[in-house]
Amino acid sequence: MKTSHDDFGAGYSSFGYLSKLPVAGVKIDRSLNTEVETSARQRAILRSIFDLAVACELDCIVEGVETAAQEEALKGLGATHFQGYFYGLPGAYAPTMAR
């Protein structure tokens, strides 16, 4: 079974896990895109993560997208999958199958 590596780029999320675990993708922590429209440093870091994901054949989801400007900046860097308040508020958990 393959999973996505959550909060990539923050806390205990290590690059080493990408080679040791059966990871299908990464979810980039929102702390890395809070100033993507104005920070050249954040854009460089994100572009590097997107390039790494492509090289490792991993899906890449950017968490914490809150504005159209963030989405456009991220698309310009090559992002294709997004998550955040810009798309909708979190919903209540609804189990899909009985145990």
Side-chain angles (χ1 to χ4, degrees):
M1 175 195 327
K2 290 192 176 190
T3 61
S4 289
H5 194 34
D6 197 17
D7 295 332
F8 189 70
Y12 293 103
S13 296
S14 166
F15 283 110
Y17 291 137
L18 297 180
S19 64
K20 296 177 182 170
L21 299 173
V23 177
V26 295
K27 290 177 69 178
I28 298 174
D29 188 74
R30 75 172 299 278
S31 65
L32 295 175
N33 74 323
T34 55
E35 299 173 5
V36 68
E37 314 98 281
T38 58
S39 171
R41 180 171 284 190
Q42 273 196 359
R43 287 191 301 275
I45 291 167
L46 288 163
R47 186 176 300 112
S48 297
I49 293 172
F50 298 147
D51 289 346
L52 174 66
V54 169
C56 295
E57 299 178 354
L58 299 172
D59 292 329
C60 190
I61 301 168
V62 183
E63 296 178 336
V65 178
E66 297 181 356
T67 67
Q70 282 179 323
E71 181 189 62
E72 285 304 310
L74 290 162
K75 283 182 178 179
L77 297 172
T80 57
H81 296 72
F82 309 94
Q83 176 183 325
Y85 290 143
F86 181 61
Y87 310 100
L89 297 175
Y93 171 72
T96 57
M97 53 196 264
R99 290 184 180 217

